[in-house]
């Protein structure tokens, strides 16, 4: 370890040496106990010949006194001494001994005469008059002292400035010399160079323009700047210190003025002592202060002399100081900025354009992959969705393809911003250039017929820069064709494929049961040779669903594939593609296990699949690819097993996928489905659930639409008769439960009896689907059914109207909701809430 | 009758089956969490089993050092979380209570 550049070892050595020297020295211990008595051995005699030896010359003449002999020299040396003396008074050690502070001067008046070599100050006149106050004396002495110090300072500054200037001059000269030398050397070298190589390479720059030389230059500039900055900083610090000291002084003085001292003499003494100390403390600072303090001192002096109002002076001074400080700060800032810029531009032009291109090439080459679309799957799909949402052409993929060799995925389009697209375009061009270059090189290689030798020495990993982390898990990627566009491990999962085969066999069995299912759904099926199964386990569900996802992604990929970019409709596909598509859809169909007999298990396998969240999510994606007949079957199964469904996500995902079928279905289908709902299932429970109610409402409205005749296929009279039967049955089943369909009524049963009108926030919006359903029911009901409806719902209706009209509501919104709900139902009956009077 | 229980053939099958399902993840530093596993493409997870979880509840064991070291459990919930793979010790489907 070394401090301040000194090597410690050297110090150590030095110390050791000194110790050794100490031991070499003779040690005299006279007067101590261990004194060896050498002193006693001295011979004290034989002194009588000393005069003869050293001479006794009598009077010594004055012929060596040149000064007195040559009086012309005298004045010069005298003034010189005087100058030295003055300087010494201010700062030398002597001045400490020779105490001329106001305090000591006052105490021993002898000092005064020597202190005032420059005669007449106004104070002196007054002194002669003999009557003076303590304050006068004090101020007088201060003024004198200040004056003297000021003069000394000015002189000192002048000297210092001169010195600095010379120093700078010298430095500058030195720099110039250095630079010239360097230039000369460079020229010599260049000449030498030119001599050696008649044709220098085009990229060879003269050294003076090379980046490294620039760097050197800049570093020197930087160094200079730093020095200047340091000086600046030092100056600032001194200034601040000075300010602080003066502030202290001023406080003392004002204290002195404002307070009437109990003992004026003592107070004054103390004050002077303090000031004296302050002066001494500030002295070394003032010495190092080149610019401002003398001005400040002058200002203070002037103020004392002229007796200007203190506040004005103060304001002026503060203002001036502030300005100075501000200027300093600005300068500092500018310097720092310049230094920073210089620092940053150190490495400018270190890289040539071709260097940069090289780096870009490395970076871009990492983006090239064999299957750009799959690698960028999510961004691509997202981009497609965004584009289709914006109404742009959805077919253009953001992938750069280079024949069969792969491509670069460009990701999703960036939103807005002008920079990114530009960068994208540039990158695109870059990549194209790189690829074409690579191809050209390949062709050249082909020309040189190096192909035969290629790989003869083993394969080198040309992409060593691709610093991929070592794979910790080695997953066997077999040679099997990749089943999934998104999964890199191409091996289709063995266990899944095993389950495939099983389920395939099941679907075979299912095919044989297909006819029976139809019969069963109509309610007259027999359960002969039914293959009963345990419900699907969680793992089976997950495995099947994963398989489904693979299939769905394949199908979607097939639809998106540029090879079939002629359109999204299957009609335009070529035979092979169509076959592939059909095969995949068939697989999906069998995986859904829709064709398994109803009684296979409880819950039905298909319903089990829907129990998982991702099962519900995938349903709309799957059903998109199914034809009408398959969808009808699926819907039938769904309705038949409706009570087995967990109703949580039904509305959001499942209903969405079956809605289009119901909307398009004919009366016979609707009839059959409603029949299915009532057959063997608790229709009341279904009607009390939200999705069930939604489903029933959907059926009723569909029938109403058909009744209005707004459909392509007008139902026959027979169908209507069938429906009427179905409807009556439904109405009959639900009649005792009408009030209980409302969530509010069911909740009210749990509320305390004495508060029947307690408000549950949002309860009216929960009731709304029920009112809708009842309205749909009322539209198709006969007049007797109307009466049943009114009588069973009378209380509920009145309750709502009453609370709306009597103002038992939280806000206006709730009131309107209540009335709108009731009116929804009453309008269907041909009534209105305004007709009800209380 | 259970064909698929026979074979988890490779480690990632388990992960794959747990996609969009609630999983239990044990991490270094005595941290555990349950959450719904996301991201279908496992491609970039090979080196590290990075996970994206949603609806996460994290359990942190804090050992209070002292004369008698006690273990306190801190829990926190997060909507969405990226779990860096190098901290993962195990991922498992949680035991079902159904």
């Amino acid at each position: 370890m070394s401090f301040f550049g000194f090597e410690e070892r050297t110090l150590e050595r030095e110390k050791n040496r000194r110790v050794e020297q100490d031991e070499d020295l003779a040690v005299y211990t006279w007067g101590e106990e261990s004194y060896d008595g050498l002193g006693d051995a001295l011979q004290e005699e034989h002194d009588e010949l000393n005069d003869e030896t050293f001479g006794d010359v009598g009077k010594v003449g004055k012929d060596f006194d040149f000064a007195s002999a040559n009086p012309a020299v005298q004045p010069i040396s005298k003034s010189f001494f005087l100058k030295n003396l003055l300087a010494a008074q201010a700062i030398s050690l002597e001045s400490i001994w020779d105490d001329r502070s106001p305090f000591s001067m006052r105490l021993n008046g002898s000092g005064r005469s020597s202190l005032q070599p420059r005669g007449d100050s106004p104070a002196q006149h007054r002194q002669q008059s003999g009557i003076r106050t303590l304050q006068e004396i004090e101020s007088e002495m201060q003024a004198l002292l200040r004056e003297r110090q000021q003069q000394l300072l000015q002189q000192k500054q002048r000297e210092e400035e001169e010195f600095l200037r010379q120093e700078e001059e010298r430095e500058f000269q030195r720099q110039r010399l250095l630079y010239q030398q360097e230039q000369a050397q460079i020229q010599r070298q260049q000449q030498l160079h030119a001599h050696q190589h008649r044709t220098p390479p085009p990229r060879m720059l003269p050294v003076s323009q090379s980046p490294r030389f620039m760097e050197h230059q800049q570093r020197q500039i930087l160094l200079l700047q730093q020095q200047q900055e340091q000086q600046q900083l030092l100056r600032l610090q001194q200034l601040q210190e000075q300010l602080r000291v003066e502030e202290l002084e001023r406080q003392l003085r004002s204290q002195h003025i404002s307070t009437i001292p109990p003992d004026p003499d003592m107070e004054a003494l103390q004050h002077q002592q303090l000031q004296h100390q302050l002066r001494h403390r500030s002295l070394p600072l003032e010495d190092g202060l080149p610019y401002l303090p003398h001005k400040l001192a002058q200002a203070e002096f002037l103020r004392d002399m002229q007796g200007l109002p203190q506040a004005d002076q103060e304001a002026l001074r503060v203002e001036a100081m502030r300005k100075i400080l501000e200027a300093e700060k600005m300068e500092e800032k500018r310097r720092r900025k310049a230094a920073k810029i210089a620092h940053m531009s150190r490495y400018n032009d270190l890289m040539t354009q071709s260097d940069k291109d090289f780096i870009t090439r490395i970076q871009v080459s990492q983006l090239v992959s064999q299957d750009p679309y799959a690698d960028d799957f999510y961004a691509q799909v997202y981009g497609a969705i965004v584009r289709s949402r914006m109404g742009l052409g959805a077919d253009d993929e953001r992938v750069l393809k280079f024949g069969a060799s792969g491509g670069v995925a460009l990701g999703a389009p960036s939103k807005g911003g002008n920079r990114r697209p530009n960068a994208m375009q540039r990158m695109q061009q870059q990549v194209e250039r790189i690829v074409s270059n690579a191809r050209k090189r390949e062709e050249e290689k082909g020309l040189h017929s190096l192909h035969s030798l290629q790989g003869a020495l083993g394969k080198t990993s040309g992409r060593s820069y691709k610093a991929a982390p070592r794979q910790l898990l080695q997953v066997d990627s077999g040679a099997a064709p990749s089943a999934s566009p998104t999964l890199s491990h191409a091996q289709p999962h063995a266990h899944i494929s095993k389950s495939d085969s099983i389920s395939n066999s099941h679907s075979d069995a299912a095919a044989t049961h297909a006819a029976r299912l139809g019969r069963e759904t109509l309610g007259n099926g027999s359960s002969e040779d039914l293959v009963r199964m345990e419900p699907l386990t969680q793992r089976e569900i997950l495995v099947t669903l994963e398989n489904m996802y693979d299939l769905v992604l394949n199908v979607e990929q097939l639809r998106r594939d540029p090879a079939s970019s002629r359109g999204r409709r299957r009609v335009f596909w070529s035979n092979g593609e169509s076959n592939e598509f059909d095969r995949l859809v068939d697989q999906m169909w069998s995986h859904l296990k829709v064709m398994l007999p109803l009684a296979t298990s409880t819950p039905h396998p298909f319903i089990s699949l829907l129990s998982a969240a991702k099962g519900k999510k995938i349903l709309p994606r799957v059903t998109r690819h199914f034809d009408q007949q398959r969808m009808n079957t699926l819907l039938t199964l769904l309705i038949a097993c409706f009570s087995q469904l967990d109703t949580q996500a039904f509305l959001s995902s499942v209903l969405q996928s079956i809605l289009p079928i119901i909307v398009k279905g004919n009366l016979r289908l609707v009839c059959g489905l409603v029949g299915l709902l009532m057959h063997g299932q608790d229709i009341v429970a279904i009607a009390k659930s939200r999705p069930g109610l939604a489903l029933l409402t959907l059926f009723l409205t569909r029938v109403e639409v058909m009744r209005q005749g707004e459909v392509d296929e007008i139902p026959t009279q027979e169908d209507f008769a069938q429906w009427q039967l179905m409807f009556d049955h439904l109405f009959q089943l639900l009649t005792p439960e009408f009030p209980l369909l409302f969530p509010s009524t069911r909740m009210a049963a749990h509320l305390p009896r004495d508060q029947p009108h307690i408000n549950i926030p949002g309860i009216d919006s929960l009731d709304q689907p029920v009112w809708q359903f009842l309205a749909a029911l009322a539209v198709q009901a006969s007049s007797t059914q109307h009466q049943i409806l009114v009588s069973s719902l009378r209380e509920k209706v009145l309750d709502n109207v009453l609370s709306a009209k009597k103002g038992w509501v939280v806000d206006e919104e709730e009131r309107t909701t209540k009335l709108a709900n009731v009116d929804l139902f009453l309008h269907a009956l041909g009534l209105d809430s305004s007709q009800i009077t209380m | 009758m259970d064909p698929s229980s026979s074979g988890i053939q490779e480690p990632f099958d388990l992960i794959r089956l747990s996609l969009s399902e609630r999983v239990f993840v044990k991490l270094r530093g005595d941290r555990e969490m349950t959450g719904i596993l996301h991201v279908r493409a496992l491609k970039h997870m090979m080196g590290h089993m990075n996970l994206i979880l949603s609806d996460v509840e994290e359990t942190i064991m804090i050992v209070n050092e002292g004369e008698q070291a006690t273990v306190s459990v801190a829990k926190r919930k997060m909507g969405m979380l990226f779990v860096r793979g190098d901290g993962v010790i195990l991922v498992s489907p949680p035991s079902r209570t159904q």
Side-chain angles (χ1 to χ4, degrees):
Chain A
M1 223 171 137
S2 70
F3 294 102
F4 311 118
F6 289 114
E7 273 198 55
E8 208 177 41
R9 239 175 304 143
T10 336
L11 288 172
E12 201 68 24
R13 224 182 296 134
E14 196 75 24
K15 207 171 91 187
N16 287 341
R17 211 172 56 209
R18 199 157 300 162
V19 168
E20 280 161 23
Q21 278 173 351
D22 283 349
E23 279 169 358
D24 281 343
L25 287 173
V27 181
Y28 297 106
T29 50
W30 185 84
E32 289 175 23
E33 301 238 305
S34 58
Y35 179 52
D36 54 1
L38 265 174
D40 300 335
L42 281 173
Q43 277 191 330
E44 300 284 355
E45 323 150 345
H46 304 302
D47 287 342
E48 49 271 32
L49 288 174
N50 275 2
D51 278 350
E52 221 164 287
T53 311
F54 299 109
D56 184 14
V57 240
K59 273 214 163 172
V60 179
K62 266 202 152 188
D63 50 354
F64 59 83
D65 189 359
F66 298 110
S68 60
N70 190 0
V73 188
Q74 212 170 6
I76 300 164
S77 66
K78 231 180 202 167
S79 68
F80 177 70
F81 272 109
L82 197 71
K83 219 164 153 188
N84 269 1
L85 192 73
L86 277 171
Q89 272 173 355
I91 47 162
S92 71
L93 271 174
E94 257 172 87
S95 68
I96 293 168
W97 295 111
D98 184 15
D99 196 347
R100 283 150 214 266
S101 67
F103 178 54
S104 64
M105 278 184 276
R106 214 181 74 82
L107 283 184
N108 40 350
S110 62
R112 199 174 292 149
S113 58
S114 69
L115 221 172
Q116 297 167 344
R118 279 176 304 279
D120 311 348
S121 77
Q124 225 171 8
H125 290 297
R126 235 179 286 160
Q127 186 201 7
Q128 282 156 6
S129 67
I131 310 147
R132 290 194 307 164
T133 62
L134 199 66
Q135 231 164 325
E136 273 173 341
I137 296 167
E138 185 198 314
S139 64
E140 173 193 310
M141 282 189 301
Q142 275 178 354
L144 278 168
L145 202 69
R146 223 173 283 127
E147 197 180 14
R148 215 184 67 229
Q149 278 170 355
Q150 188 186 315
Q151 278 168 354
L152 280 170
L153 269 172
Q154 277 171 343
Q155 186 188 341
K156 218 167 163 50
Q157 275 158 18
R158 248 174 276 125
E159 281 169 17
E160 231 162 81
E161 276 167 34
E162 182 64 23
F163 178 71
L164 270 173
R165 211 174 36 243
Q166 281 173 358
E167 194 74 342
E168 270 170 35
E169 191 98 6
R170 237 172 289 146
E171 177 70 13
F172 178 69
Q173 292 282 355
R174 206 171 58 81
Q175 292 275 347
R176 223 173 54 180
L177 207 69
L178 260 173
Y179 182 71
Q180 279 169 353
Q181 277 174 354
E182 257 169 319
Q183 283 292 342
Q185 204 177 357
I186 287 154
Q187 274 175 0
R188 266 203 306 281
Q189 275 177 353
Q190 276 175 341
Q191 280 164 2
L192 208 68
H193 241 94
H195 204 66
Q196 281 171 349
H197 314 272
R198 280 291 129 127
T199 51
R203 267 183 58 198
M204 187 84 86
L205 289 167
V207 186
S208 61
Q209 286 168 40
S210 85
R212 248 167 236 126
F213 182 78
M214 293 298 281
E215 198 185 0
H216 171 74
Q217 288 282 92
Q218 275 159 353
R219 209 177 294 149
Q220 276 191 340
I221 292 164
L222 211 69
L223 215 67
L224 265 169
Q225 271 174 345
Q226 277 173 352
Q227 280 173 356
Q228 282 171 346
E229 269 172 7
Q230 274 173 356
Q231 282 176 1
Q232 199 89 9
L233 209 71
L234 204 69
R235 219 172 288 154
L236 205 72
Q237 279 173 354
Q238 287 168 346
L239 210 68
Q240 280 166 350
E241 179 72 10
Q242 165 82 2
L243 264 176
R244 202 174 56 78
V245 169
E246 282 182 350
E247 183 66 25
L248 220 65
E249 242 180 298
R250 211 173 308 117
Q251 277 174 3
L252 278 169
R253 204 173 302 132
S254 62
Q255 251 178 18
H256 177 67
I257 290 162
S258 60
T259 60
I260 302 155
D263 185 353
D265 248 329
M266 265 313 284
E267 176 75 16
L269 276 176
Q270 278 172 354
H271 185 182
Q272 277 175 345
Q273 239 165 347
L274 261 171
Q275 278 199 329
H276 168 70
Q277 279 167 5
L278 283 173
R279 280 278 163 221
H280 266 266
R281 249 175 53 197
S282 63
L283 258 176
L285 284 173
E286 284 173 355
D287 274 352
L289 219 59
Y291 297 131
L292 287 157
H294 66 275
K295 281 187 199 154
L296 294 174
Q298 257 175 357
E300 205 175 354
F301 179 63
L302 272 170
R303 187 192 60 205
D304 276 0
M305 295 305 284
Q306 294 165 359
L308 273 176
Q310 184 106 3
D312 282 9
Q313 290 282 346
E314 196 59 24
L316 258 169
R317 249 173 60 94
V318 167
E319 178 70 11
M321 278 319 292
R322 198 179 58 74
K323 272 187 182 154
I324 290 163
L325 280 175
E326 243 170 45
E328 296 257 354
K329 236 181 262 172
M330 289 295 285
E331 179 70 0
E332 178 81 356
K333 214 168 159 186
R334 198 189 59 74
R335 264 179 223 283
R336 225 179 295 141
K337 205 168 155 191
K340 205 171 175 186
I341 288 167
H343 185 77
M344 283 195 300
S345 61
R346 266 187 314 175
Y347 302 117
N348 278 2
D349 300 326
L350 269 182
M351 281 170 83
T352 61
Q353 189 54 43
S354 67
D355 287 346
K356 287 174 191 164
D357 284 350
F358 180 66
I359 301 275
T360 318
R361 223 176 302 143
I362 290 175
Q363 288 172 337
V364 167
S365 67
Q366 305 231 24
L367 298 174
V368 179
S369 72
Q370 286 301 312
D371 191 355
Y373 186 84
D375 278 354
D376 200 24
F377 180 75
Y378 288 102
Q380 294 291 342
V381 171
Y382 174 72
I385 290 169
V386 166
R387 279 196 300 277
S388 69
R389 203 176 289 158
M390 275 156 42
L392 298 172
D395 277 333
D396 74 298
E397 284 175 17
R398 301 200 34 93
V399 174
L400 277 177
K401 288 219 164 164
F402 318 119
S405 60
V408 176
L410 297 179
S414 57
K415 289 177 206 154
N418 299 322
R419 252 186 72 190
R420 281 290 296 275
N422 262 343
M424 268 307 187
Q425 274 176 1
R426 272 218 307 281
M427 200 195 84
Q428 220 158 313
Q429 287 163 2
Q430 271 263 10
V431 171
E432 270 158 19
R433 210 170 60 222
I434 291 163
V435 169
S436 65
N437 280 350
R439 230 175 253 154
K440 233 179 267 165
R441 218 172 298 137
E442 202 66 32
E443 279 165 19
E444 274 173 39
K445 256 189 210 165
L447 283 177
H448 295 301
S449 70
L450 278 170
H451 274 303
S452 56
L453 293 176
Q454 219 166 36
L457 292 173
K459 223 175 169 181
T460 53
S461 60
R463 318 187 75 188
S464 59
Y465 45 80
K466 193 163 188 171
R470 192 169 64 92
Q471 286 191 2
L472 297 177
L473 289 166
Q474 293 295 336
V475 179
D476 177 36
S477 55
S482 174
S484 156
T486 58
L487 297 176
S488 66
H489 42 303
Q491 180 82 30
H493 309 277
H495 65 284
I496 290 176
S497 32
K498 218 181 282 177
S499 79
D500 279 356
S501 60
I502 298 290
S503 64
N504 277 342
S505 71
H506 276 309
S507 69
D508 288 345
T512 62
H513 287 301
R516 212 180 316 141
L517 177 80
R519 259 177 286 139
E520 261 186 12
T521 52
L522 289 173
N524 55 2
S526 62
S527 55
E528 55 185 79
D529 56 276
L530 172 72
V531 187
R532 257 205 94 81
M533 292 194 299
E534 288 294 304
L536 288 180
T537 62
Q538 186 65 25
R539 173 165 296 152
E540 282 172 317
I541 291 168
L542 293 176
V543 169
T544 311
L545 283 174
E546 277 311 309
N547 229 348
M548 287 293 291
Y549 270 104
D550 274 356
L551 289 169
V552 166
L553 287 171
N554 268 332
V555 169
E556 285 174 357
Q557 177 68 19
L558 206 62
R559 287 197 157 195
R560 261 195 306 261
D561 216 3
S564 59
S565 60
R566 275 150 293 175
R568 297 188 147 238
R569 278 160 295 174
R570 288 173 60 201
V571 251
F572 294 126
W573 288 7
S574 65
N575 260 344
E577 283 162 353
S578 179
N579 286 345
E580 171 74 4
F581 181 83
D582 286 344
R583 195 180 60 77
L584 288 171
V585 173
D586 283 348
Q587 272 186 24
M588 286 199 294
W589 181 246
S590 63
H591 277 305
L592 271 184
K593 305 183 198 299
V594 174
M595 296 309 281
L596 293 190
L598 251 186
T600 305
S601 62
T602 312
H604 188 272
F606 174 64
I607 306 297
S608 294
L609 291 181
L610 289 182
S611 68
K614 50 181 165 179
K616 290 183 192 98
K617 264 185 231 159
I618 204 176
L619 192 65
R621 284 170 82 175
V622 175
T623 52
R624 204 183 301 154
H625 307 295
F626 288 158
D627 54 24
Q628 184 68 36
Q629 203 211 323
R630 275 178 172 161
M631 280 312 291
N632 282 351
T633 317
L634 192 143
L635 183 62
T636 311
L637 181 62
L638 205 61
I639 300 297
C641 301
F642 193 79
S643 55
Q644 295 172 4
L645 271 173
D646 76 309
T647 55
Q648 280 296 311
F650 177 84
L651 280 177
S652 57
S653 53
V654 180
L655 193 61
Q656 179 200 340
S657 57
I658 61 169
L659 190 69
I661 308 156
I662 296 176
V663 166
K664 274 185 265 168
N666 57 23
L667 187 58
R668 205 177 304 150
L669 178 81
V670 175
C671 219
L673 292 176
V674 174
L676 268 179
L677 274 179
M678 286 186 293
H679 176 81
Q681 297 187 77
D682 187 358
I683 185 69
V684 175
I686 291 172
K688 278 179 185 173
S689 71
R690 234 183 118 194
L693 207 64
L695 202 64
L696 284 173
T697 315
L698 198 63
F699 287 143
L700 289 173
T701 46
R702 174 67 192 154
V703 172
E704 186 55 33
V705 166
M706 281 188 281
R707 257 188 212 229
Q708 313 264 328
E710 293 168 14
V711 276
D712 314 329
E713 183 192 342
I714 307 286
T716 59
Q717 211 57 40
E718 236 174 275
D719 289 337
F720 273 121
Q722 179 78 19
W723 167 249
Q724 197 55 49
L725 242 109
M726 213 49 99
F727 179 80
D728 288 346
H729 189 46
L730 177 70
F731 195 88
Q732 194 191 333
L733 283 172
L734 288 179
T735 300
E737 306 287 338
F738 280 140
L740 285 176
L741 293 183
F742 292 98
S744 61
T745 316
R746 294 203 295 271
M747 277 185 204
H750 299 289
L751 288 172
R753 248 161 226 280
D754 49 335
Q755 291 170 294
H757 292 296
I758 198 157
N759 273 312
I760 302 156
I763 194 74
D764 289 304
S765 57
L766 276 180
D767 275 353
Q768 197 174 25
V770 185
W771 289 112
Q772 275 169 357
F773 168 69
L774 290 172
L777 209 62
V779 166
Q780 298 192 24
S782 62
S783 55
T784 42
Q785 283 166 337
H786 274 177
Q787 278 181 0
I788 297 169
L789 266 178
V790 170
S791 60
S792 57
L793 292 173
R794 183 189 172 80
E795 208 174 311
K796 190 79 192 163
V797 171
L798 285 178
D799 201 31
N800 265 18
V801 175
L802 198 69
S803 51
K805 291 203 170 162
K806 298 269 175 179
W808 298 337
V809 286
V810 177
D811 52 15
E812 185 59 27
E813 195 186 327
E814 195 188 325
R815 204 178 74 86
T816 48
T817 321
K818 269 188 198 296
L819 280 181
N821 276 347
V822 173
D823 276 339
L824 200 69
F825 171 64
L826 291 178
H827 286 170
L829 296 170
L831 299 168
D832 195 273
S833 61
S834 56
Q835 295 168 330
I836 300 170
T837 50
M838 317 263 145
Chain B
M1 166 59 247
D2 192 6
S4 50
S5 66
S6 63
I8 295 286
Q9 299 280 314
E10 43 180 79
F12 282 115
D13 283 345
L14 182 66
I15 304 298
R16 212 172 105 89
L17 290 187
S18 300
L19 284 168
S20 302
E21 294 285 303
R22 189 158 278 279
V23 291
F24 170 82
V25 182
K26 195 172 158 73
L27 297 165
R28 289 192 202 186
D30 287 327
R31 303 173 93 157
E32 299 168 348
M33 53 180 65
T34 65
I36 293 165
L37 184 68
H38 287 279
V39 177
R40 294 191 54 82
L42 294 167
K43 166 157 182 133
H44 301 292
M45 296 184 184
M46 288 307 192
H48 285 308
M49 189 63 224
N50 295 334
L51 308 172
I52 291 176
L53 301 175
S54 72
D55 190 18
V56 187
E57 182 176 291
E58 185 183 2
T59 311
I60 309 162
M61 305 282 191
I62 302 162
V63 179
N64 301 313
E65 306 225 356
E67 300 234 334
Q68 293 167 323
T70 54
V71 177
S72 59
V73 174
K75 289 202 174 195
R76 58 172 177 153
K77 295 199 171 194
M78 283 147 290
M80 192 65 98
L81 197 71
F82 177 88
V83 182
R84 195 178 137 87
D86 61 352
V88 175
I89 292 170
L90 71 84
V91 180
S92 86
S95 56
R96 292 188 175 274
T97 50
Q98 296 162 7

